[in-house]
């Protein structure tokens, strides 16, 4: 069952009913100011940090769910309603929500009145702009009132929801002209305030929540909207809100446009005040002036569209499969960019108050956006590497504001260091910027000296070989991907963190996954060493990699698939010897991606085992059989009820590893099958089961053992986006940035006739036509560039600004 | 304006409308299991720790406010409603809420159906019992359905509201017979579950919130209640609830009673399971059986009433002032006991997730409950003292579960140590148990060795004299009472804690308040030393006290009142030299309580200044003039908007210090005037202004500078309860436990004719008649005990179990 449709021409997902199975959201903002907005206008806004600079209040897991946002109440002769249906839930004659790239437009119509609210964050501004268009589509004149509404958060979102004995006494506002200023704590140490403006004279206002709502009322029945009259309340303590009250007279057919703006302003210390306790409003007024007219709004919207065209234009496909095209051209790269902006901080599942960027996460996210904004990728690589320790180990998380490693979680996640090699290599392949390797980068933010980035990669590489276990496989440490297999933890205390509790010495438990990752990432390290003229180091590295490859086959293969690990007692995990958890997805994907066992036929065996034992209609489960009880020696993975999350859920992040692995052994049909199984556009028709947005990936889909099999959770912020982007654009469609050019090596379903890709690479444009006359899955028979055949399937690097026609024939 | 009335015969406050100015709440539980319940049945339950063992979910600062609790929905032929009005808010023909001692009874009536829900925690059980009586008060038979509802919290209340990416996948329940078991995380490391039972066959159930409510619905419009039919849903992830569906047929005039029970069970590790993933329900079933009949419920209610009669019977008054009587006999000691149980953890303003008991708070709270439960007071004194450092300093907070000092906040609050002397002395005066002084008590929970409790008191005393500033006054450290005057902090960072940030060395800023406290508490230390035969130590202490008294007069008096402090720069605070904050309440109260300046006439001057400069219709403000801006050298006090909290709010905790101080200089009329000004019963008539419960004290009432002058906040958990109890029962009514007996020394309004007190003291009963024929405020003319005159106004200690008639004539 569908709840909307893809409008590819406008790059929008159009939702046709407010009653989606879950709030379906979008993100506003690309730089410093961000907003989350649902299809019923719920959500919230923040400046840079969703915990420390939350502008508006949002209550997670509330009843009703998604109750709170930036609302516009219409009062029409005693009747009142909201164009997004929620929160008033009055029946609408027409409803539509269009989630576009960086904007959301919601339209509701009732009794001859049409209201459209369009929300976006203009480039270059720390503000959200809402254009509200009110149209009289009836035959009679209409006198209506419009009441804006949003509730301010007292900046620190965590403190805001815990420290009431203080917070209910401190809120302060100012009201001047049509602008409401929220200035709580500005009189003391804050130098920032928020404002909510509208570009016309108001007839009333409210800043005190209780006055606006009336006692005992919810957002569905606010007294002001019900009575059609503002209370003109001035907040003093309790809960500050902003509401403008505006009377409108509309002739039949008339449309009026109002521009609201929720802005964030920081003032220098010496310019904080206009007079005693009167804030300096100049910067706010300048921002408001920039959005005083519809023409200004239109122009900003055009800029935003151009911005996204620029980013998404770096890679686009023309194919006969519309769903494939819209995933590749629009929604998958869009999600990659949102994930870059948010990391794992703020979604409808992430409450925005957890702190820190993951070392492992950030390196993987980068794979999805490096071609869109290589400069920001470069900056992020340096940030990440700066938190590495001088022994190659890494803080598992770091703070985006301070760029310091997070002591609470600490280090000891032994896969972390390797991801830095993969992330850096991807950046260099995309850009050719070897100079990044010479950057002087601190260890532990300078507490342990510094070295070149290349030296950081060496320490990453060596951190694995310096931490090997009894079988010669890498020690797992606290955990590897995805933090839930905790082999040195042995926790019996409720609520204790599995990631930060290490009860045992950690010198036994080994990870086959890290072995695979080492063999996968290692060659990039060797290649980079060689390109720096360090032939000996390259050779040494290759020897280590080859050694690990052998050990993995010797001690990491279990007959039909790769083992997952050895536990603290030296017992196998992910083996047919186990009663539960006999086979895991991660080592199958990663070992094959690394090429381990391909020649020996083990790779195919492993992937067949995945297909036979882990695959479901909804994707590939993490392991089987699910753990039915808690295993002290395994940790968090066994805490989840069977079928959810890491305990045999379909943890989408690792599904593309299997997809990529299938391309390694040339099985294009299987590769695309596994790709399409979890690609959201292909799930649109079963939205009532999947429940999450059909335009973005979710972190998890409930597996076969779950009561709610096929139901997704944790949409938007997941490494799934980046890895599936890699899987489809590079592994399947076969456009692979490489050190010396753009490698073309598709692995596709045999039935495909071909497709066209436009790829921007190091400033040049490649218009690539892939033709598959022989209906093969893999194998490049010929390549012509601008009409001339070339020998290699690696397209050369061209002059920036040039454009080239490429024809690739498979066979 | 009143919203109810005191029913003194039943020891209840009766609320006659659900539309109180704020939720008016009550507490259930006295031992390990606790609940908060509002007059509209909102609230939540927990076992021991409101953060770590939260049984039911509650959303603070929600809209509508107080939306969530243990609800009973009635479905009556298409109409559905709730007897507490909220959350459905259907008009009721009759509504009444009775908050009693440890129970709350709510009655609603609509369309000929009357429903009463009575909630309490039975003594000896870790459970809440709800007896629901449904009566057909119409002339026709009725067929109705009753749906219980509560929402489970996933145990850790903080994690529950932040960690959705995990939590929405983990919840699990079992349903067997009429009992719903909530067992989230029981399959892993928890050994505890909750259950919700009813003592009859059910016709349906729900455990999945979304099914019960229906999509997009709030608690006001649950689908199940609206349709009158349970969904029989079994939760798997998302949000687990418990709802029983019961059809009832009622003849005209018939009443049926149902007994629901929300219980908490811990199982030993080896008895966790009945079979694989089926929990051991035996302990739950035993508890349920104990409340299967109305007779069992009645008996438990009788036990509860007897428990409270025992506690409150320790001190009671007969007077012609009903409000005075009900405060002294019922509500003030009741609040003291609740504060003992809760410390500052869980109220409608304290979110229950802050951790730790205050060193200072706990010692003061003890003054209010020591006569009710001296054994628990003893235990608490030892707990508190065990967190003291060996230099006499103290952790500012400690964890009630681990009884360890709280490292996050640390120490350096230089008034803390002295409160231990005051608390211990109060305990010994009440009990005569000098043995407590010989207890071996650890320093820093054993990390710094141990010593006798007496030695702890010595270190407390010496900690002051070892930390004196330039004027010989005590150094303030991080802060003294009430944490908001931060003279060594100088914070410019938003959100930074004023209490844990110490930017400067702290060797200059001095506190006159601590000086007063030293002179107040010191004599008890000297007396205890003397009684241990340490005459030299007693003399030394007295010399130090006398010295501090002189220094306080010399450097701590500002002409008409006591200074508050000297800041980091050696400048006066609370002086006429200041532009703002010229006079503070705390040193006036405490220095006079200590007797400083009484002989010299300075005390009277100081108290007159309080009256003239700080007193309002609603109580005495903390300081004047309010700080209009942030002062870097003062810290948190200047962060509040003028009139709120410590910035010139009426911070009720310190008002009784002035009351007691007035009795020190013999002004009984003033003493009672200041007492009555903030005593909640006297504010009942202005409940629309005061807003908080008229039966308990609030922490703060907005002062004259505030927009909302007279409005209270932070009701229930405040040191105000204990100090006002001391002020009225000891200072005004003059029944003062002392080392060698019960001192009788009233200081009352001259107009009073007299009153009678019944006081249990060291096991004997004293029936004391105070007579005031000459209409004086102070001065005992004669005392007779059992008909015989005695010379002293200290009644001797009698044999436990004996009863004595005492007549005291003032004059």
């Amino acid at each position: 069952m569908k709840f909307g449709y893809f409008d590819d021409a406008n790059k929008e997902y159009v939702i046709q009913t407010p009653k989606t199975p879950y709030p379906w959201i979008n993100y506003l903002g690309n730089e410093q100011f961000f907003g989350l907005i649902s299809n019923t206008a719920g959500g919230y806004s923040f400046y840079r940090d969703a915990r420390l600079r939350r502008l508006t209040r949002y209550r997670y897991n509330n009843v009703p769910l998604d109750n709170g946002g930036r609302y516009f109440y219409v009062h029409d002769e005693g009747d009142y309603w909201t164009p997004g249906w929620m929160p008033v839930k009055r029946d609408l004659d027409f409803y539509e929500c269009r989630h576009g790239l960086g904007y959301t437009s919601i339209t509701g119509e009732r009794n001859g009145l049409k209201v459209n609210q369009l929300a976006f964050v203009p480039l270059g501004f720390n503000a959200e702009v809402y254009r509200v268009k009110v149209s009289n589509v009836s035959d009679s004149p209409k006198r209506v009132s419009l009441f804006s509404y949003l509730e301010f958060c007292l900046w620190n979102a965590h403190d805001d929801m815990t420290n009431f004995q203080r917070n209910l006494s401190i809120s302060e506002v100012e009201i001047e002209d049509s602008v409401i200023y929220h200035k709580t704590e500005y009189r003391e140490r804050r130098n920032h305030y928020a404002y909510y403006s509208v570009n016309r004279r108001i007839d009333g206002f409210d800043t005190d929540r209780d006055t606006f709502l009336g006692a005992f009322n919810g957002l569905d029945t606010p007294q002001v909207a019900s009575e059609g009259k503002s209370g003109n309340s001035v907040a003093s303590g309790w809960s500050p809100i902003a509401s403008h009250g505006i009377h409108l007279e509309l002739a039949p057919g008339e449309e009026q446009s109002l521009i609201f703006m929720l802005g964030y302003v920081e003032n220098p210390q010496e310019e904080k005040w206009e007079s005693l306790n009167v804030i300096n409003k100049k910067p706010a007024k300048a921002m408001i002036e920039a959005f005083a007219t519809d023409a200004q709004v239109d122009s900003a919207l055009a800029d935003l569209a151009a911005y996204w065209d620029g980013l998404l234009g770096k890679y686009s496909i023309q194919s006969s499969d519309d769903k494939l095209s819209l995933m590749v051209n629009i929604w998958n790269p869009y999600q990659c960019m949102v994930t870059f902006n948010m990391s794992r901080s703020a979604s409808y599942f992430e409450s925005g108050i957890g702190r820190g960027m993951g070392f492992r996460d950030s390196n993987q996210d980068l794979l999805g956006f490096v071609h869109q904004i290589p400069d920001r990728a470069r900056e992020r690589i340096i940030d990440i590497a700066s938190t590495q320790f001088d022994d190659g180990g890494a803080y598992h998380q770091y703070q985006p504001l301070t760029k310091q490693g997070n002591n609470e979680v600490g280090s000891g996640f032994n896969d972390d260091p390797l991801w830095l090699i993969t992330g850096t290599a991807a950046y260099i392949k995309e850009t050719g910027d070897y100079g990044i390797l010479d950057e002087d980068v601190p260890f532990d933010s300078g507490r342990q000296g510094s070295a070149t980035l290349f030296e950081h990669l060496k320490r990453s590489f060596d951190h694995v070989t310096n931490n090997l276990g009894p079988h010669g496989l890498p020690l797992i440490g606290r955990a590897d991907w995805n933090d839930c297999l905790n082999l040195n933890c042995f926790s019996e205390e409720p609520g204790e963190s599995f990631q930060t509790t290490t009860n045992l010495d950690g010198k036994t438990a080994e990870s086959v996954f890290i072995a695979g990752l080492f063999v996968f990432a290692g060659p990039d390290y060797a290649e980079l060493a060689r390109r720096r003229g360090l032939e000996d180091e390259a050779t040494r590295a290759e020897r280590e990699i080859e050694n690990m490859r052998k050990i993995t086959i010797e001690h990491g293969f279990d007959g039909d698939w790769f083992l997952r690990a050895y536990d603290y007692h030296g017992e196998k995990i992910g083996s047919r010897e186990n009663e539960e958890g006999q086979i895991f997805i991660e080592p199958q994907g990663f070992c094959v991606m690394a090429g381990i066992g391909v020649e020996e036929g083990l790779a195919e065996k492993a992937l067949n085992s995945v297909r036979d034992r882990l695959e479901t209609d909804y994707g590939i489960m993490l392991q089987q059989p699910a753990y039915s009880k808690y295993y002290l020696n395994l940790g968090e993975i066994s805490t989840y009820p069977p079928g959810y999350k890491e305990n045999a859920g379909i943890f989408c992040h690792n599904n593309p590893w299997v997809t990529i692995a299938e391309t390694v052994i040339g099985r294009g049909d299987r590769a695309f099958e596994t790709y399409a199984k979890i690609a959201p556009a292909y799930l649109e028709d079963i939205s009532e089961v999947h429940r999450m947005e059909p335009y973005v990936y979710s972190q998890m889909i409930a597996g076969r053992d779950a009561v709610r099999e096929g139901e997704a959770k944790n949409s938007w912020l997941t490494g799934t986006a980046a890895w599936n982007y890699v899987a489809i654009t590079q592994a399947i469609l076969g456009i692979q940035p490489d050190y010396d050019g753009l490698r073309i090596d598709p692995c596709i379903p045999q039935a495909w006739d071909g497709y066209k890709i436009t790829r921007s690479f190091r400033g040049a444009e490649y218009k690539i036509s892939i033709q598959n006359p022989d209906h093969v899955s893999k194998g490049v028979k010929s390549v012509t560039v601008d009409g001339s055949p070339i020998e290699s399937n690696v397209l050369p690097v061209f002059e920036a600004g040039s454009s080239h026609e490429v024809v690739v024939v498979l066979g």
Side-chain angles (χ1 to χ4, degrees), chain A:
Chain A
M1 183 180 169
K2 289 167 61 171
F3 296 82
Y5 61 92
F6 288 96
D7 177 347
D8 297 334
N10 289 306
K11 301 194 179 80
E12 292 172 336
Y13 192 80
V14 185
I15 302 168
Q16 295 171 289
T17 168
K19 300 178 188 179
T20 45
Y22 203 74
W24 285 0
I25 74 165
N26 192 15
Y27 284 83
L28 314 175
N30 310 286
E31 295 159 328
Q32 304 200 97
F33 193 103
F34 299 99
L36 288 72
I37 183 166
S38 73
N39 60 311
T40 56
Y44 62 93
S45 312
F46 62 94
Y47 170 75
R48 289 187 68 196
D49 185 313
R51 174 173 175 148
L52 297 177
R53 293 289 185 280
R54 186 83 63 103
L55 266 78
T56 60
R57 199 171 264 163
Y58 188 75
R59 297 168 180 85
Y60 277 83
N61 198 13
N62 206 354
V63 287
L65 201 66
D66 193 29
N67 191 31
R70 314 80 163 176
Y71 291 132
F72 297 94
Y73 293 90
V74 181
H75 178 99
D76 182 3
E77 297 186 17
D79 181 37
Y80 65 98
W81 53 283
T82 31
W85 189 64
M86 284 281 280
V88 175
K89 298 198 292 181
R90 204 81 72 207
D91 288 340
L92 298 175
D93 302 326
F94 175 80
Y95 162 91
E96 185 182 81
C97 168
R98 290 178 171 265
H99 284 320
L101 304 180
Y103 68 87
T104 286
S105 169
I106 298 171
T107 306
E109 185 182 324
R110 181 176 162 89
N111 292 339
L113 196 74
K114 192 164 91 176
V115 180
N116 169 262
Q117 60 180 98
L118 168 72
F120 71 107
V121 173
L123 293 169
F125 286 86
N126 292 324
E128 276 178 17
V129 169
Y130 316 107
R131 176 159 60 185
V132 178
K133 287 185 175 170
V134 184
S135 313
N136 181 355
V137 293
S138 78
D139 298 332
S140 332
K142 275 193 171 278
R143 297 170 56 103
V144 300
S145 298
L146 187 74
F147 300 96
S148 66
Y149 176 85
L150 56 79
E151 182 175 357
F152 289 111
C153 180
L154 307 186
W155 303 116
N156 180 321
H158 185 260
D159 189 81
D160 185 71
M161 65 176 178
T162 51
N163 186 13
F164 305 104
Q165 72 92 19
R166 172 180 165 88
N167 291 349
L168 297 178
S169 284
I170 61 173
S171 77
E172 293 185 291
V173 296
E174 285 184 39
I175 303 116
E176 189 185 289
D177 300 329
S178 299
V179 189
I180 292 161
Y181 297 87
H182 175 229
K183 60 170 188 176
T184 297
E185 289 192 343
Y186 187 86
R187 64 188 297 284
E188 42 134 331
R189 296 166 294 172
R190 296 193 184 275
N191 67 344
H192 48 89
Y193 61 80
Y195 67 85
Y196 196 34
S197 66
V198 62
N199 68 338
R200 69 162 70 189
R201 239 176 67 92
I202 55 176
D203 299 293
F205 63 86
D206 277 287
T207 62
D208 175 58
R209 189 181 75 203
D210 291 348
T211 306
F212 182 84
L213 294 176
F216 306 101
N217 292 331
L219 294 172
D220 54 339
T221 53
Q223 186 169 311
V224 162
S226 146
E227 294 181 353
K229 195 169 160 21
S230 290
N232 296 334
S233 55
V234 181
S236 174
W238 301 104
S239 292
I241 61 155
S243 172
H244 309 90
I246 297 161
H247 301 315
L248 299 171
E249 302 200 8
L250 295 153
E254 184 181 353
E255 175 180 279
Q256 293 193 29
S257 167
L258 300 93
I259 301 165
F260 295 84
M261 192 173 193
L262 169 66
Y264 172 89
V265 169
E266 282 181 3
N267 277 327
Q269 187 64 29
E270 61 283 7
E271 293 172 21
K272 273 183 79 168
W273 301 105
E274 192 178 302
S275 58
L276 178 66
N277 290 331
V278 177
I279 62 174
N280 172 9
K281 304 181 182 66
K282 268 186 210 148
K285 288 177 179 171
M287 287 167 72
I288 294 166
E289 262 177 44
F291 290 87
T293 67
D294 280 309
Q296 289 168 316
V297 171
D298 290 336
S299 161
L301 284 168
D303 290 347
L304 186 65
Y307 170 84
W308 279 109
D309 283 347
L311 291 179
L312 304 188
K314 300 286 173 63
Y315 190 122
S316 63
I317 186 173
Q318 276 179 273
S319 86
S320 56
D321 181 339
D322 290 344
K323 290 182 190 299
L324 174 65
S325 299
L326 67 90
M327 284 307 302
V328 170
N329 295 344
I330 306 170
W331 295 98
N332 196 348
Y334 183 59
Q335 184 178 7
C336 287
M337 280 300 296
V338 168
T339 308
F340 162 68
N341 285 328
M342 297 289 125
S343 188
R344 303 294 175 273
S345 75
S347 75
Y348 263 33
F349 292 88
E350 299 283 3
S351 59
I353 65 167
R355 290 289 296 278
M357 316 264 292
F359 193 97
R360 177 202 292 146
D361 293 339
S362 296
N363 276 300
Q364 292 175 83
D365 288 349
L366 189 143
L367 305 176
F369 69 78
V370 60
H371 67 295
Q372 299 191 68
I373 39 166
D375 290 353
R376 303 288 295 278
R378 189 185 210 275
E379 186 187 340
R380 185 153 290 182
I381 288 168
I382 302 293
D383 286 350
I384 298 167
S386 303
T387 67
Q388 191 174 28
F389 293 107
D390 62 5
D391 72 350
Y395 282 107
H396 195 47
Q397 293 167 0
Y398 71 98
Q399 313 296 339
L401 286 180
T402 64
K403 300 188 175 176
Q404 307 275 310
N406 181 346
N407 272 316
E408 268 175 61
V409 177
S411 72
F413 299 76
N414 285 352
D415 63 322
D416 273 336
L418 289 172
W419 296 108
L420 183 63
I421 296 175
T422 297
T424 305
Y427 169 76
I428 293 172
K429 289 174 185 172
E430 181 65 35
T431 61
D433 173 19
Y434 292 91
I436 193 174
L437 295 174
D438 299 318
E439 291 281 348
D440 185 55
V441 179
F443 289 110
D444 192 6
S445 305
R447 279 180 285 270
Q448 300 184 340
S450 68
T452 62
L453 180 60
F454 179 78
E455 179 64 22
H456 278 260
L457 303 191
K458 178 174 188 305
R459 309 270 175 113
S460 289
F461 186 87
D462 292 348
H463 189 266
V464 175
T465 53
N466 290 337
N467 290 280
L468 299 176
H471 299 91
L473 290 163
L475 291 170
I476 194 168
R478 284 183 162 167
D480 62 13
W481 193 97
N482 190 30
D483 291 347
C484 288
L485 188 63
N486 314 106
L487 303 183
N488 296 304
C489 178
F490 293 80
S491 169
E492 301 189 272
E493 190 63 37
E496 189 172 63
S497 164
F498 287 98
Q499 284 78 51
T500 61
T501 305
T502 305
N503 293 322
L504 293 170
D505 70 2
K507 297 286 183 254
T508 322
E510 298 166 295
S511 164
V512 177
F513 168 77
I514 300 180
L517 176 57
F518 181 77
V519 179
F520 174 83
D524 274 320
Y525 169 66
E527 181 64 24
L528 290 171
R530 183 163 288 125
R531 284 167 185 256
R532 290 172 77 80
L534 304 171
E535 185 58 37
D536 288 353
E537 176 63 4
T539 309
R540 176 191 75 92
E542 284 163 351
R543 218 167 36 235
E544 297 278 13
I545 295 162
E546 177 55 20
N547 188 38
M548 187 69 78
R549 200 189 65 77
K550 285 182 182 154
I551 287 172
T552 305
I553 289 175
E554 189 178 350
H555 295 294
F557 202 76
D558 198 47
D560 285 310
W561 58 81
F562 292 95
L563 286 173
R564 175 66 178 88
Y566 288 92
D567 75 4
Y568 178 79
H569 307 294
E571 302 293 327
K572 292 178 184 172
I573 297 173
S575 157
R576 59 179 70 247
E577 294 173 14
N578 300 120
E579 202 176 323
E580 300 183 318
Q582 294 178 336
I583 173 171
F584 281 69
I585 189 173
E586 307 98 312
Q588 321 313 325
F590 243 93
C591 289
V592 178
M593 282 165 70
I596 302 172
V598 172
E599 286 172 20
E600 297 87 342
L602 308 182
E604 193 176 341
K605 269 194 184 177
L607 293 179
N608 288 346
S609 297
V610 166
R611 181 193 60 207
D612 298 342
R613 291 167 177 264
L614 295 179
E615 195 157 321
T616 75
D617 289 348
Y618 302 107
I620 305 167
M621 296 177 289
L622 195 139
Q623 102 281 19
Q624 278 289 295
Y627 293 115
S628 65
K629 53 183 193 285
Y630 177 56
Y631 289 81
L632 191 58
N633 63 322
L634 299 181
E636 187 163 6
I637 189 170
S638 60
T639 68
Y640 289 101
Y644 294 105
K645 298 277 288 181
E646 281 86 345
N647 188 12
I650 297 158
F651 212 96
C652 302
H653 185 130
N654 49 38
N655 275 230
W657 298 345
V658 171
T659 299
I660 299 169
E662 290 286 2
T663 68
V664 169
I665 63 167
R667 302 203 298 199
D669 283 281
R670 278 291 297 151
F672 190 75
E673 190 184 349
T674 58
Y675 166 78
K677 212 159 233 178
I678 64 164
Y682 295 90
L683 306 174
E684 191 188 14
D685 287 335
I686 56 159
S687 286
E688 80 284 7
V689 175
H690 186 73
R691 293 189 68 191
M692 296 298 124
E693 296 89 338
Y695 40 93
V696 292
Y697 287 96
S698 295
Q699 179 208 59
M700 194 270 295
I701 298 169
R704 188 188 290 145
D705 302 279
V707 174
R708 294 168 171 272
E709 186 185 359
E711 181 186 79
K713 283 194 185 114
N714 305 352
S715 56
W716 280 97
L717 306 182
T718 162
T720 309
W723 273 112
N724 272 300
Y725 190 75
V726 171
I728 188 64
T729 63
Q730 298 187 31
I732 293 177
L733 300 174
I735 315 297
Q736 301 165 5
D738 209 337
Y739 295 108
D740 299 318
L742 208 50
R743 180 182 304 276
I744 311 296
D745 188 16
C747 182
I748 59 175
Q750 293 179 353
W752 285 12
D753 295 322
Y755 49 95
K756 290 182 179 162
I757 303 280
T758 304
R759 176 61 152 98
S760 173
F761 180 67
R762 303 195 194 173
E765 188 183 54
Y766 296 71
K767 295 181 171 176
I768 306 163
S769 171
I770 312 274
Q771 299 166 4
N772 189 22
D774 299 341
H775 288 282
V776 299
S777 272
K778 200 176 171 102
V780 172
K781 196 159 68 181
S782 72
V783 180
T784 56
V785 177
D786 295 328
S788 312
I790 63 169
E791 282 303 299
S792 161
N793 67 337
V794 178
L795 306 180
V797 176
F798 290 111
E799 198 181 346
S802 64
S803 180
H804 306 274
E805 301 283 341
V806 180
V807 176
V808 176
V809 179
L810 306 182

